[in-house]
Amino acid sequence: MEHIRVAIVDNELLFTTVLKKMSAKILKETSFTYEIDTYESAESLLEALSSTSYDLFFLDILLDGMNGMELARKIRIKAEAANIVFITSSSDYAVESYEVAPLHYLVKPVTLVNLKEAFRRFFDACKDTARAETVLLKDTSNQKVLLSVSDIYYAEIMESKITLHTKGGSLFIRGRMDDLQKSLPSRHFYRCHRSFLVNFQHVTGSRRYDFIIGNDSFVPIAKGNYRLAVKAFSDYLER
């Protein structure tokens, strides 16, 4: 991420102006280029989201018309991993707001110190996402390979040699399946068999004791784990 796009939604023009200036001051101290857009209503932001995306949202909960909580729910539908910071003059909604998993919660008046903490959390979240998107591995010839985790279909192990089945073909690495599993994001990867680790991102269905990958690959499910595995995949689809 080299360019950061920030959206501020608040119907108090003076506050919005001040928050935009403070945000610009913080971002100028980083190596990123940035844009900060302001909106007076939830509806105006939603209209903009049809053609624009943002990395960070500052939302006032007490908006006129659609409130900030409902706006956050709609943002989550469009962008599940959106970084949302709630800003309001009342802390009454603090507990309710965590339903939509905000990055941070600030109560007006917002100070530069408190706003810096919100941006610190944002940058930490971006680092975590970046780490989750790639994994650094060593192949059997001891060469380092940086691999996008979304390119991995599944992994299988035989006699301490792991075969990663990927979009680019097969990659062979040595090690333990337990260690490989720990290095990959648990929200996508599931150990369906002692010797197999599957990426739910590429599962298109299941049959008795197998997950189906695309149209022509099958990943075994341990018989004793079948019900739990199918439920895990069902839960994944409902997230």
Side-chain angles (χ1 to χ4, degrees):
M1 181 182 63
E2 297 179 355
H3 185 74
I4 297 171
R5 300 206 65 182
V6 179
I8 300 172
V9 188
D10 196 294
N11 50 26
E12 296 181 25
L13 180 58
L14 178 59
F15 173 78
T16 301
T17 301
V18 172
L19 184 63
K20 181 175 182 178
K21 287 182 178 179
M22 288 197 299
S23 298
K25 177 178 176 64
I26 293 169
L27 290 170
K28 282 179 181 177
E29 296 174 355
T30 73
S31 59
F32 302 103
T33 57
Y34 62 89
E35 294 175 65
I36 305 173
D37 296 329
T38 61
Y39 299 90
E40 295 183 4
S41 68
E43 291 78 7
S44 59
L45 172 67
L46 289 174
E47 183 178 350
L49 288 179
S50 63
S51 58
T52 306
S53 62
Y54 290 98
D55 303 296
L56 177 61
F57 297 86
F58 288 100
L59 309 180
D60 185 7
I61 291 182
L62 303 178
L63 293 169
D64 294 334
M66 184 189 299
N67 65 34
M69 280 291 296
E70 183 60 28
L71 173 58
R73 293 187 187 101
K74 290 185 179 296
I75 290 172
R76 281 274 179 257
I77 293 172
K78 292 177 176 290
E80 182 181 352
N83 295 289
I84 297 172
V85 175
F86 282 123
I87 302 177
T88 183
S89 56
S90 172
S91 59
D92 293 344
Y93 295 86
V95 175
E96 183 185 358
S97 71
Y98 283 91
E99 169 195 338
V100 291
L103 183 69
H104 200 36
Y105 188 94
L106 297 174
V107 178
K108 296 177 181 178
V110 177
T111 66
L112 186 62
V113 171
N114 291 338
L115 187 58
K116 282 184 176 181
E117 172 61 17
F119 273 99
R120 183 193 68 76
R121 295 189 182 204
F122 165 67
F123 287 122
D124 285 348
C126 291
K127 290 177 184 176
D128 290 342
T129 300
R131 282 195 292 267
E133 289 175 351
T134 58
V135 61
L136 184 63
L137 302 169
K138 284 186 178 181
D139 64 18
T140 51
S141 61
N142 211 34
Q143 296 294 311
K144 291 182 179 180
V145 179
L146 186 63
L147 189 65
S148 172
V149 296
S150 63
D151 286 348
I152 301 172
Y153 296 136
Y154 65 97
E156 62 177 308
I157 187 168
M158 183 178 293
E159 297 180 352
S160 78
K161 184 172 77 172
I162 297 174
T163 303
L164 293 178
H165 299 268
T166 77
K167 288 183 179 180
S170 297
L171 176 67
F172 303 100
I173 64 174
R174 293 196 180 278
R176 300 169 64 245
M177 188 68 92
D178 287 347
D179 294 332
L180 175 64
Q181 184 176 3
K182 289 175 183 178
S183 71
L184 297 170
S186 60
R187 66 183 182 277
H188 296 309
F189 286 84
Y190 183 78
R191 188 79 169 270
C192 55
H193 187 287
R194 183 179 64 179
S195 301
F196 289 85
L197 181 66
V198 66
N199 185 351
F200 278 158
Q201 290 175 295
H202 297 291
V203 173
T204 56
S206 64
R207 65 180 189 181
R208 194 65 171 169
Y209 306 131
D210 287 305
F211 280 122
I212 303 170
I213 307 293
N215 296 318
D216 56 5
S217 296
F218 301 92
V219 178
I221 303 172
K223 291 183 179 180
N225 193 42
Y226 179 73
R227 289 186 179 179
L228 288 176
V230 171
K231 184 180 185 306
F233 180 56
S234 178
D235 291 344
Y236 175 83
L237 294 177
E238 293 175 0
R239 291 176 192 170

